[in-house]
Amino acid sequence: MMTAIAMIADDGEAEVIQESAPKGFVWVRARSGEEGLRLLRESGAELIITDLSAERMTPEALVMRLRAMARTAPIVLAVPESRRAEAASLLDKGATDLLPLPAIMEESRARIANVLCGRQQNLAGQISDFDRTVLSGESAGMAKLREQMAVVARTNLPVLIRGESGTGKE
């Protein structure tokens, strides 16, 4: 059995994430970053999922401590849309992937399976000049779209783009 640590403050989110993981994991639940670090020291882990809720340290410090303590375990950051840009910068500090909150069972399952299978591509923000050519404009909406593309480019998952007819989804 492999150990996974869920450092998720919200009970409902933790439950969805834990149910999304493949069978064979023994879950250890921490309600804070500090508790998660203690549990990691005591039991180790092959997978860490955290929502960055450490009370006494910055998200960057939390990720760096987790990475130092668990050198090979994937660290998945469960974050709401409002913290996505902040969390994306942590991918360069040792985090493996981002998991959007609120957690959706199918997406959580796919992302967790992806990091566990080692198919995570190391694209670290590599959005080519192609997007500057195709995606013209400097509005706040376009800046947000480019930011989201940088996050998605780090994964090997299919993307569904939704929008009204005629908005340029192609």
Side-chain angles (χ1 to χ4, degrees), residues 13-86:
E13 297 290 359
E15 186 176 315
V16 169
I17 290 169
Q18 289 174 341
E19 289 177 9
S20 325
K23 302 298 179 216
F25 276 95
V26 174
W27 283 93
V28 179
R29 170 84 188 283
R31 296 185 189 281
S32 69
E34 288 76 17
E35 182 183 3
L37 291 170
R38 180 183 57 77
L39 292 170
L40 183 58
R41 275 191 299 275
E42 293 172 2
S43 64
E46 286 78 28
L47 172 64
I48 301 166
I49 301 178
T50 182
D51 64 3
L52 303 176
S53 61
E55 297 86 18
R56 296 187 180 111
M57 65 185 79
T58 65
E60 181 177 331
L62 175 62
V63 169
M64 291 174 74
R65 286 194 57 196
L66 289 170
R67 179 52 61 219
M69 293 172 71
R71 297 212 179 272
T72 60
I75 300 171
V76 179
L77 307 178
V79 294
E81 180 67 34
S82 62
R83 295 190 74 182
R84 180 89 28 103
E86 172 190 11

Side-chain angles (χ1 to χ4, degrees), residues 58-133:
T58 65
E60 181 177 331
L62 175 62
V63 169
M64 291 174 74
R65 286 194 57 196
L66 289 170
R67 179 52 61 219
M69 293 172 71
R71 297 212 179 272
T72 60
I75 300 171
V76 179
L77 307 178
V79 294
E81 180 67 34
S82 62
R83 295 190 74 182
R84 180 89 28 103
E86 172 190 11
S89 69
L90 298 174
L91 293 169
D92 294 332
K93 306 290 186 210
T96 307
D97 198 3
L98 304 179
L99 179 65
L101 292 179
I104 299 169
M105 184 70 71
E106 293 78 21
E107 184 170 4
S108 298
R109 183 174 289 128
R111 286 189 180 267
I112 292 169
N114 188 41
V115 297
L116 291 174
C117 291
R119 294 182 308 188
Q120 184 73 9
Q121 294 181 359
N122 186 14
L123 297 176
Q126 294 177 5
I127 300 296
S128 69
D129 290 328
F130 177 76
D131 81 302
R132 294 281 176 201
T133 305

